[in-house]
Amino acid sequence: MDNYIQISKLNDFTFCPKSIYYHSIYESFGENNYHSHFQIVGKIHHQNIDLAKYSTSNKYLQGTTVYHEKLKLIGKIDIYNQENQCLIERKYSIKRIFDGYKYQIFAQYFSLKEMGFGVKKLFFHSLSDNKRYPVKLPTAKDYQYLSSLCQKIQKYNLGKSPQSKSTSINKCQNCIYHLLCA
């Protein structure tokens, strides 16, 4: 599974393709060396899912690995309620639903579907304010875009990829790698 893309990288790549490259450099270091305060807080709040402590009910799949063979994606879902076929992606604080968030949950959706699970509803859940945001189920067009995004990630070359025209200065200033891109 070496050539598989981590589903979480879809969000990172959408934020800025260069962040994937920089993240791969820092992965061997302790996260305290490069994670921002917000990432540390998010990781702490995500531990209940990682340790399957969200609920003891068997109806929930928690932190379960999913994959999509055709798109070469692999990752973990946060919560899947098997009774109502509901997939929930948790974020510490949601002020706006970014495209990268959507591609991440769409990848989880398509992975679950390929693995034989029914999925009727998608939600983002903001832990800081306990709000839930419904997401429309992806369309065939969304699948095509996700497939294209996966191909872009597989072919990405930092040396041939100048700063994205869609990357805003504010986005760069909030990136944990912004000093490396200067």
Side-chain angles (χ1 to χ4, degrees):
M1 297 218 171
D2 289 339
N3 60 345
Y4 275 65
I5 299 166
Q6 292 176 350
I7 290 174
S8 61
K9 300 275 194 235
L10 298 170
N11 184 23
D12 296 339
F13 190 85
T14 303
F15 176 78
C16 176
K18 288 183 179 183
S19 71
I20 300 289
Y21 170 76
Y22 291 125
H23 186 73
S24 68
I25 291 172
Y26 282 93
E27 275 180 329
S28 62
F29 298 107
E31 291 175 346
N32 291 339
N33 291 322
Y34 64 94
H35 271 186
S36 72
H37 166 74
F38 300 108
Q39 288 173 304
I40 292 168
V41 168
K43 190 165 183 107
I44 289 168
H45 285 279
H46 207 271
Q47 286 178 338
N48 283 340
I49 295 299
D50 295 336
L51 300 172
K53 291 184 176 182
Y54 170 76
S55 174
T56 57
S57 173
N58 289 337
K59 72 178 180 179
Y60 295 110
L61 297 180
Q62 308 167 65
T64 302
T65 299
V66 296
Y67 63 92
H68 194 285
E69 194 165 327
K70 186 173 181 183
L71 295 177
K72 301 293 185 207
L73 289 167
I74 191 165
K76 291 188 176 187
I77 58 168
D78 284 350
I79 301 167
Y80 173 71
N81 183 326
Q82 297 179 86
E83 284 182 5
N84 65 14
Q85 299 181 332
C86 174
L87 175 62
I88 304 164
E89 173 65 22
R90 296 166 26 129
K91 303 285 184 193
Y92 175 67
S93 178
I94 299 176
K95 302 293 183 214
R96 179 178 150 207
I97 297 178
F98 294 98
D99 288 343
Y101 290 5
K102 287 182 187 177
Y103 304 137
Q104 186 177 359
I105 201 168
F106 288 171
Q108 294 169 3
Y109 167 86
F110 288 120
S111 295
L112 282 169
K113 296 289 281 184
E114 188 183 76
M115 293 170 67
F117 290 90
V119 183
K120 294 180 180 175
K121 298 177 187 174
L122 303 176
F123 293 98
F124 287 110
H125 185 85
S126 177
L127 295 170
S128 64
D129 55 9
N130 200 32
K131 288 186 180 177
R132 192 163 282 185
Y133 301 92
V135 179
K136 289 182 181 178
L137 293 176
T139 64
K141 186 177 176 181
D142 293 319
Y143 181 86
Q144 289 171 341
Y145 184 84
L146 183 60
S147 177
S148 168
L149 181 61
C150 290
Q151 290 172 10
K152 287 178 188 176
I153 292 172
Q154 292 282 10
K155 294 176 183 177
Y156 181 72
N157 181 333
L158 179 67
K160 294 183 179 181
S161 301
Q163 185 73 15
S164 170
K165 293 175 185 144
S166 65
T167 303
S168 70
I169 291 172
N170 187 42
K171 217 180 202 187
C172 290
Q173 289 173 338
N174 289 316
C175 178
I176 62 174
Y177 306 115
H178 76 277
L179 294 175
L180 299 171
C181 284

